[in-house]
Structure formats: structure tokens, C-alpha cells
Amino acid sequence: MEIAVLANDEQWKEINTGLVHADFLRIFSLENIPPVVEACLFLQESEQFNFNISSVPIFINSVSVTLKEIHAPGNIFRINGWNSFLSRETWEISGLLNEHVEPIFAALGKKIIVVPDEPGFISARIIAMIINEAYFALEDKISTKEEIDTAMKLGTNYPYGPFEWASLIGPNRVCSLLEKLSMHDKRYLPATLLKEAANA
């Protein structure tokens, strides 16, 4: 199975981890998709997709923006392409699954969990809130970034501390998701220091 992949260097490295049974054809623009591919992975975030480029299943990295918001046709699916999420064994996916999708994920060596077409999926919401709480703790001078990271890794066995995760994902992405979620639920309001990090 041949899959076209539009990705930055970090995403490209992550996507090539694990037991992959697909041939990846790395592309650098949406204009040069080879006609022989059976699927496309667009891992670089964008809110402007040209959905007429291909009729094959297309998986877009769209954590905050839903399929409904971008009026995506049935061959478009959302995944979480944040750094550190692509190398996971299980991916969350939103979209109308059909018989063409599961073989693609089998070739990618990934299990899938179908989730509603909502901003943040499930895991990104949880990680964003953990990061946000860490920034609130920093604002309250409870501890340092390094000590909070160490405490979370040792206390919860997380692979990264919240500030390490924020650095990997990008504070701007975390803040953007929280701001969108906070429009409907004020519990998601981002911490002041997180907003400052996002704007830095």
C-alpha cells in the first residue's frame, strides 16, 4: 500500500516508527500527489484544504477544527497529529468510516478509536488540561517547571512532564485548543502564563 505523506521532519520521523507495512511517499505540497497512492496523510496543520485533489481517503491533522466546520466530504478524516501522538500505537479518528479505512490503519500498524467530530478529540483535551493546570501551579509559585515535570513523571508514570509536553506540542497549539473549548466551557480557560508562552 502506498500512502502520500505531507509532514514536517519531526512528524516524518514519528510516522516512521513502529511496524509499518506501507510505502510512504513523502510529498512537500498538495500539488504533487502521485496518482498511484491509496491514501494521503496530511500532517501539517492547515485550516484551508483543497478537497478536490484526490478521492482516496485523506487523513488530516486537525485537532481543534472539526470536519463539520470545514465542510469536509466523506473521504476526509481527522486525526491528532500533535508531536508525540503520531508514534502511539492507537490513534483517535473522526469521520465516516468505511471498508477502505481499516486496511490503511493496518498498513500503518495502528489501532484506531473512532471518536465524535469534536474539537480536541479525547487525549488532546486531557493533555491540554494537564498542561494548563501545570501553568496555573507555576503562576501560584507552587514549584518550578522542572520540579513539576519530575513530580508528574514519577507520580503518574507519564512519558513527559506537562512542560515537556507543552514544548513538544507547542504552547500555541495547546492554548488555541483551550481557547476554542473555553467558548463553551469556562473550565478550559488557558492560564495567563500559558497564553504568554503561546505568544512568545
Side-chain angles (χ1 to χ4, degrees):
M1 178 174 291
E2 293 189 304
I3 300 175
V5 180
L6 179 67
N8 63 35
D9 291 341
E10 196 61 40
Q11 292 166 326
W12 179 250
K13 182 179 171 185
E14 267 198 74
I15 200 75
N16 279 285
T17 61
L19 296 170
V20 178
H21 306 291
D23 293 323
F24 290 144
L25 304 171
R26 190 173 186 189
I27 60 174
F28 296 92
S29 77
L30 300 181
E31 284 75 46
N32 61 358
I33 299 173
V36 296
V37 299
E38 296 169 71
C40 299
L41 278 173
F42 296 157
L43 301 177
Q44 293 182 354
E45 291 174 281
S46 172
E47 292 187 23
Q48 297 178 347
F49 294 98
N50 176 4
F51 297 124
N52 299 318
I53 55 176
S54 179
S55 60
V56 301
I58 298 174
F59 304 92
I60 60 172
N61 173 16
S62 184
V63 176
S64 297
V65 181
T66 66
L67 296 171
K68 183 178 179 182
E69 289 174 295
I70 56 176
H71 309 289
N75 67 316
I76 308 297
F77 304 88
R78 287 175 56 225
I79 61 169
N80 178 355
W82 278 1
N83 290 351
S84 79
F85 285 79
L86 290 170
S87 57
R88 293 179 175 195
E89 291 180 8
T90 304
W91 284 4
E92 293 170 300
I93 180 173
S94 290
L96 301 171
L97 263 71
N98 56 47
E99 69 276 7
H100 303 294
V101 174
E102 289 192 18
I104 294 166
F105 282 94
L108 289 170
K110 304 293 180 185
K111 298 173 190 166
I112 57 172
I113 297 174
V114 181
V115 296
D117 186 32
E118 299 289 338
F121 299 100
I122 298 168
S123 54
R125 281 185 184 216
I126 293 169
I127 297 304
M129 286 297 284
I130 290 169
I131 291 168
N132 201 33
E133 288 301 320
Y135 273 97
F136 279 127
L138 190 65
E139 282 178 14
D140 292 341
K141 298 183 176 22
I142 290 172
S143 195
T144 66
K145 286 183 178 182
E146 294 76 16
E147 289 171 347
I148 292 170
D149 276 347
T150 300
M152 289 298 288
K153 285 190 288 188
L154 294 177
T156 62
N157 202 28
Y158 287 163
Y160 306 103
F163 295 104
E164 290 172 325
W165 243 321
S167 179
L168 275 171
I169 296 165
N172 56 322
R173 291 185 182 94
V174 176
C175 193
S176 176
L177 174 59
L178 290 170
E179 285 174 342
K180 183 161 193 174
L181 293 170
S182 71
M183 287 189 244
H184 303 288
D185 188 337
K186 297 303 178 194
R187 291 178 300 170
Y188 290 102
L189 282 169
T192 302
L193 286 180
L194 175 56
K195 288 194 275 190
E196 289 175 6
N199 294 326

